[in-house]
């Protein structure tokens, strides 16, 4: 257990529905990252926060994806109008410097 | 777009064998390279953060080397054990974020 938690651990949804995932980082970590991982590939960067500021967002992230970290603590990742191609593992990580501590991930299946 | 490549994609060895994997990354604008171990149903776990050309790091039976001039890092496992079975990921750290390779999946047979 790294100290980073994610909820839910699994989510099955129908195409077109909205889903929201939550990440609780290690409390003193100011940086928080979201990644997406599909089978056979490494984690793919989505976005990252320093405290409450969203500093970068991948061009791979469509307008259907939004992330927030309102008080610089926990973060949420929302996917609107889900598509089957959104099925993946969504990983959250937090850090003080370069070493990232990952949560267990939320596995999303869009039917 | 940063290109981080790992080889081989997968590896099957017998218990007791020693093995190594390769991570190649852009040699310009280097800041840091990370190695992670990702066991099934668990979170990726940081193994090493490597920053200096010629760096060698060791953790038990696992060690890593870094060559920033030619853009590669090797991860070595000495005397592999079944509990070493996992996917080993490298990540190139630049401009505040990581670009991951696709990993090397190691299976150690008893």
């Amino acid at each position: 257990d790294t100290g980073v938690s994610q909820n839910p651990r699994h989510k099955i949804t129908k195409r077109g529905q909205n889903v929201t995932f939550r990440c609780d980082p290690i409390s003193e970590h100011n940086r928080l990252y979201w990644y997406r991982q599909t089978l056979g590939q490494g984690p793919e960067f989505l976005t990252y926060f320093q405290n409450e500021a969203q500093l970068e967002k991948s061009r791979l992230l469509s307008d259907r994806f939004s992330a927030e970290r309102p008080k610089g603590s926990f973060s949420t990742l929302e996917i609107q109008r889900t598509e089957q191609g959104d099925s993946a593992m969504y990983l959250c990580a937090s850090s003080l410097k370069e070493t990232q501590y990952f949560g267990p991930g939320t596995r999303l299946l869009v039917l | 777009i940063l290109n981080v490549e790992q080889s081989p994609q997968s590896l099957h060895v017998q218990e007791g064998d020693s093995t190594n994997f390769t991570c190649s990354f852009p040699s310009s604008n280097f800041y840091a390279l990370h190695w992670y171990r990702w066991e099934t149903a668990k979170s990726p776990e940081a193994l090493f953060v490597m920053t200096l050309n010629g760096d060698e790091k060791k953790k038990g039976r696992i060690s890593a080397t870094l060559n920033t001039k030619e853009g590669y890092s090797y991860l070595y496992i000495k005397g592999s054990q079944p509990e070493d079975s996992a996917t080993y990921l490298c990540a190139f750290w630049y401009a505040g974020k990581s670009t991951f390779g696709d990993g090397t999946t190691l299976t150690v047979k008893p």
Side-chain angles (χ1 to χ4, degrees):
Chain A
D1 183 2
T2 61
V4 179
S5 62
Q6 292 187 245
N7 288 288
R9 294 290 305 275
H10 302 272
K11 179 72 178 179
I12 300 174
T13 192
K14 291 183 180 178
R15 191 168 49 131
Q17 297 293 305
N18 299 343
V19 294
T20 300
F21 310 142
R22 177 176 169 130
C23 172
D24 287 273
I26 294 171
S27 59
E28 62 266 28
H29 286 184
N30 57 352
R31 295 181 188 172
L32 187 147
Y33 305 80
W34 286 100
Y35 294 90
R36 177 172 61 192
Q37 191 259 341
T38 53
L39 195 62
Q41 298 193 329
E44 177 184 86
F45 172 79
L46 294 178
T47 189
Y48 100 95
F49 293 84
Q50 180 141 328
N51 300 310
E52 63 274 14
Q54 187 172 17
L55 295 188
E56 190 166 342
K57 187 174 172 179
S58 169
R59 282 172 287 176
L60 299 170
L61 219 58
S62 76
D63 291 343
R64 297 183 298 105
F65 287 73
S66 62
E68 292 183 342
R69 194 183 183 197
K71 295 182 181 178
S73 56
F74 73 92
S75 176
T76 57
L77 178 69
E78 182 183 16
I79 309 174
Q80 295 182 324
R81 304 181 304 281
T82 51
E83 301 172 356
Q84 287 182 324
D86 297 331
S87 297
M89 171 78 86
Y90 290 84
L91 288 164
C92 170
S94 70
S95 74
L96 269 179
K97 295 185 179 178
E98 297 92 358
T99 300
Q100 294 176 58
Y101 295 84
F102 281 84
T106 295
R107 186 168 292 284
L108 173 67
L109 178 61
V110 182
L111 302 176
Chain B
I1 297 176
L2 298 172
N3 200 27
V4 179
E5 294 185 351
Q6 291 189 247
S7 63
Q9 187 175 28
S10 63
L11 201 51
H12 295 254
V13 301
Q14 290 294 134
E15 183 175 355
D17 287 349
S18 293
T19 188
N20 66 85
F21 328 131
T22 305
C23 172
S24 62
F25 52 85
S27 55
S28 58
N29 296 316
F30 179 84
Y31 189 80
L33 187 86
H34 301 174
W35 281 100
Y36 293 87
R37 175 169 58 202
W38 195 359
E39 295 178 67
T40 303
K42 294 188 178 180
S43 310
E45 172 200 354
L47 289 173
F48 304 115
V49 178
M50 309 187 78
T51 55
L52 298 175
N53 186 43
D55 249 358
E56 288 189 33
K57 299 254 173 128
K58 190 173 179 182
K59 188 176 183 178
R61 293 178 293 97
I62 304 177
S63 60
T65 60
L66 179 69
N67 183 323
T68 60
K69 293 183 179 178
E70 296 182 35
Y72 65 84
S73 176
Y74 293 136
L75 187 79
Y76 300 92
I77 302 179
K78 187 177 177 182
S80 303
Q81 299 297 307
E83 59 264 30
D84 296 328
S85 297
T87 296
Y88 291 83
L89 293 162
C90 68
F92 180 80
W93 175 268
Y94 177 71
K97 66 179 195 281
S98 290
T99 299
F100 282 84
D102 289 338
T104 293
T105 299
L106 174 68
T107 304
V108 182
K109 300 176 185 176

